[in-house]
Amino acid sequence: MNGITLFGKRFVPYIPQAELEQDIDRVARRMNADFAGGEDVPVLLCVLNGSILFTGELMKRLDFNLELMTIKLSSYQGTASTGNIREITGISGNVKGRRVIIVEDIVDTGNTIVYLRKKLMDEGASDITICTMLLKPDVYRQELKLDYVAREIPNKFVLGFGLDFNELGRNLKELYVLAE
Ligand code: 5GP
């Protein structure tokens, strides 16, 4: 079976690029309907580095006026969530009084989005919406509702389409999963 090995771990193809793009099409259609006709310019907040590809794919499908901002967070080490969120770079603009759409690559324990939501509230965002490409529902145990989920996956470590293993693999076009 074709796959790749990174740092001694084997990853096998999991979700083809075309399927991910169909998931993104669906989410974008819903967001376009929900945000159509707004008088403000919502902020699309790309959570670096993982959601860089997803944000790009999503953003080119969105047809309402938006402003792109970024924040760089880190919580994973290797293939496990540490629960300890580090802010590498703060939000690239002022969110006070703005509607903010958080764009995440993957929600696992949910610690990251809970942290981010609180930070946005502290910085005065008027409304916060959460959009994630992937969700691991078996692991997610937060009260916080996720507004847009492109695809649910089982509790397995995935790689590619922006997601890394020790910073490698983000440029893979399809999603790979750690082999058993
Ligand atoms: P959470 O705070 O929800 O536990 O984790 C969110 C972050 O952990 C994601 O933004 C991502 O960086 C990382 N993460 C969680 N699951 C995976 C995974 O399966 N693969 C990769 N590459 N990163 C993951």
Side-chain angles (χ1 to χ4, degrees):
M1 192 185 204
N2 58 339
I4 51 160
T5 302
L6 288 177
F7 305 106
K9 290 200 192 288
R10 181 138 189 88
F11 293 87
V12 292
Y14 181 38
I15 303 170
Q17 180 183 3
E19 270 187 48
L20 286 171
E21 289 182 357
Q22 282 168 13
D23 296 335
I24 300 171
D25 284 343
R26 273 195 299 273
V27 157
R29 272 198 299 271
R30 281 185 50 217
M31 288 175 81
N32 281 331
D34 293 350
F35 284 85
E39 292 191 349
D40 60 334
V41 176
V43 172
L44 202 65
L45 181 61
C46 171
V47 186
L48 297 171
N49 287 331
S51 77
I52 197 155
L53 264 185
F54 175 48
T55 304
E57 289 298 329
L58 178 69
M59 192 169 66
K60 67 187 187 191
R61 291 166 170 81
L62 297 179
D63 53 21
F64 53 92
N65 286 329
L66 56 86
E67 183 179 339
L68 179 66
M69 292 190 193
T70 56
I71 182 169
K72 188 167 180 181
L73 301 177
S74 166
S75 77
Y76 246 60
Q77 237 158 29
T79 60
S81 178
T82 63
N84 179 10
I85 294 140
R86 285 188 304 139
E87 195 171 309
I88 316 281
T89 319
I91 303 172
S92 63
N94 187 353
V95 296
K96 195 169 169 54
R98 309 284 300 271
R99 287 198 288 169
V100 179
I101 305 163
I102 298 175
V103 184
E104 258 289 22
D105 53 352
I106 184 163
V107 173
D108 182 344
T109 62
N111 290 331
T112 305
I113 45 157
V114 167
Y115 170 94
L116 194 49
R117 188 168 189 280
K118 178 169 186 315
K119 180 181 171 71
L120 288 166
M121 283 179 347
D122 291 347
E123 296 201 7
S126 65
D127 184 63
I128 300 160
T129 305
I130 300 165
C131 174
T132 184
M133 176 169 75
L134 303 169
L135 168 68
K136 294 180 184 169
D138 300 340
V139 190
Y140 186 72
R141 278 193 202 88
Q142 312 281 349
E143 292 291 304
L144 192 57
K145 126 175 150 357
L146 305 175
D147 304 274
Y148 306 98
V149 177
R151 177 181 280 252
E152 295 190 346
I153 61 167
N155 184 20
K156 291 191 175 153
F157 186 80
V158 291
L159 174 79
F161 213 90
L163 289 105
D164 75 312
F165 176 43
N166 293 334
E167 292 305 326
L168 295 188
R170 294 195 197 277
N171 53 326
L172 295 166
K173 290 183 186 60
E174 57 187 334
L175 208 64
Y176 284 70
V177 66
L178 187 59
E180 300 297 337

